[in-house]
Amino acid sequence: MFQQKSFEIQSTGTLYLVPTPIGNLEDMTFRAIRTLKEVDLIASEDTRNTQKLLNHFDVHTSQISFHEHNSHERIGQLIERLEGGKDIAQVSDAGMPSISDPGHDLVVACIEAGISVVPLPGANAALTALIASGLSPQPFYFYGFLPRKKKDQVEALEELNLRPETFILYESPHRLKEVLKNMGTVLGESRKIVLCRELTKRYEEFIRGTVEEVQEWAQNTEIRGEFCVIVEGNSEGSLFPEEDMSWQELTVREHVEHFMEEQQLRSKEAIKEVAKIRNMKKQEVYSEYHELD
């Protein structure tokens, strides 16, 4: 157990999670600016992008790059500095750290090392879009970016289609038309949807309608800017679909063999699936499966 008291004197440094504006610099908070000035180091998703922000607010703290391509080596380096008493702020290109960036892995590493993690409130694209969408704001489900491959994307949409809550996606301009097409196939063309682009910026725009109507808009418009997509939940969906428990009649070995035969999986893949369903460790399933070999 690790009980954190964020504002007591620490024997180590502190990791501050500092949100940055998603478009409008006036959304930077006084506390966020002060924190960036006071920490010893800023871990930035893109140092060039963050430097523009630092210059605007007259912040002279040093930066270090921290993104998905170098996070494995960087986390150890950052933990070492934190353990040495240095305070570090982590920022993403825009919005909340840990959302669609490697910040979560750093947070987990800090918690495992007994280092305090202090979040600052601030700009967030998903909630900003949700409250102005006109769709039910609660309950809601945040998903983020859909998978790139069509097969995986359709599978993800099929799972989302089971949910009764409003759900939130992020999407890039060059993929939007294909995503809308797949939504029409999986969710149906009458489902309500809201596209939110250029949030907090001069050309902020909300496109509200059915999937069919929004598809038509996309076909006749030059798609620009990053999108936040808010989708009406399935009124007939359920968070708790009826679960197939027939596997309880099978031994672990029989369960693995069932997956191998029915879904044409290799033993390694089947063991992984069985472990997930039975809430067991993969090593335990592996041992039981090979027990009679």
Side-chain angles (χ1 to χ4, degrees):
M1 190 179 93
F2 172 38
Q3 183 177 2
Q4 172 183 318
K5 294 186 180 295
S6 299
F7 300 104
E8 289 188 354
I9 296 175
Q10 311 288 332
S11 60
T12 64
T14 296
L15 174 67
Y16 292 92
L17 304 178
V18 181
T20 55
I22 57 176
N24 193 321
L25 289 176
E26 291 181 353
D27 292 332
M28 193 72 173
T29 67
F30 292 119
R31 183 183 174 198
I33 296 168
R34 177 178 59 79
T35 300
L36 293 179
K37 288 182 176 180
E38 292 179 351
V39 294
D40 299 289
L41 184 66
I42 300 172
S44 306
E45 185 176 7
D46 186 329
T47 55
R48 295 166 300 180
N49 188 59
T50 301
Q51 191 60 53
K52 297 174 185 176
L53 181 73
L54 301 183
N55 291 343
H56 183 84
F57 291 106
D58 196 29
V59 177
H60 303 286
T61 308
S62 299
Q63 295 187 75
I64 187 172
S65 64
F66 177 60
H67 47 72
E68 61 178 336
H69 302 297
N70 70 1
S71 62
H72 184 72
E73 60 178 293
R74 277 286 191 261
I75 287 176
Q77 297 169 3
L78 295 172
I79 293 295
E80 187 176 343
R81 296 195 189 197
L82 287 160
E83 289 179 331
K86 301 295 184 183
D87 290 332
I88 296 176
Q90 194 236 327
V91 300
S92 63
D93 276 353
M96 284 284 180
S98 292
I99 305 298
S100 300
D101 77 12
H104 172 67
D105 294 331
L106 178 59
V107 169
V108 171
C110 284
I111 293 171
E112 290 176 347
I115 295 167
S116 290
V117 178
V118 176
L120 275 64
N124 174 263
L127 293 181
T128 302
L130 175 65
I131 59 174
S133 68
L135 298 179
S136 178
Q138 59 188 55
F140 71 88
Y141 179 77
F142 174 75
Y143 186 91
F145 287 96
L146 288 168
R148 293 180 181 275
K149 294 182 179 179
K150 180 178 179 179
K151 179 176 178 291
D152 297 335
Q153 189 176 113
V154 168
E155 287 179 358
L157 286 169
E158 287 173 343
E159 290 185 16
L160 288 169
N161 192 35
L162 298 174
R163 308 193 72 95
E165 321 103 314
T166 300
F167 62 88
I168 306 173
L169 307 172
Y170 287 159
E171 200 48 75
S172 59
H174 66 276
R175 296 202 319 166
L176 183 67
K177 291 181 181 179
E178 184 64 22
V179 167
L180 290 173
K181 180 180 177 182
N182 291 334
M183 280 186 176
T185 301
V186 177
L187 309 180
E189 296 188 333
S190 61
R191 184 77 65 91
K192 291 180 182 177
I193 184 175
V194 181
L195 302 185
C196 318
R197 62 180 293 274
E198 300 295 290
L199 284 168
T200 76
K201 300 177 185 177
R202 180 181 177 184
Y203 297 107
E204 176 178 283
E205 186 175 14
F206 292 84
I207 299 93
R208 303 178 176 95
T210 63
V211 171
E212 182 178 24
E213 291 168 339
V214 174
Q215 278 181 320
E216 185 177 347
W217 170 87
Q219 293 301 324
N220 298 293
T221 305
E222 184 179 359
I223 308 297
R224 293 180 178 178
E226 297 295 318
F227 285 82
C228 193
V229 185
I230 315 295
V231 185
E232 180 184 37
N234 185 350
S235 59
E236 298 180 359
S238 172
L239 288 173
F240 307 102
E242 190 172 331
E243 188 176 356
D244 180 8
M245 302 296 287
S246 61
W247 57 265
Q248 292 181 332
E249 300 175 4
L250 304 175
T251 65
V252 170
R253 186 185 181 96
E254 289 171 342
H255 201 175
V256 173
E257 290 173 343
H258 171 76
F259 269 106
M260 291 173 66
E261 182 178 345
E262 292 295 319
Q263 298 189 22
Q264 301 298 304
L265 297 179
R266 293 177 298 176
S267 61
K268 182 179 179 180
E269 296 168 333
I271 286 170
K272 182 179 179 181
E273 290 298 320
V274 170
K276 188 190 302 182
I277 292 171
R278 290 177 175 259
N279 196 25
M280 296 173 63
K281 293 181 179 179
K282 285 188 290 185
Q283 296 90 332
E284 294 174 344
V285 176
Y286 180 89
S287 296
E288 288 197 40
Y289 174 68
H290 290 287
E291 193 173 36
L292 302 177
D293 290 355

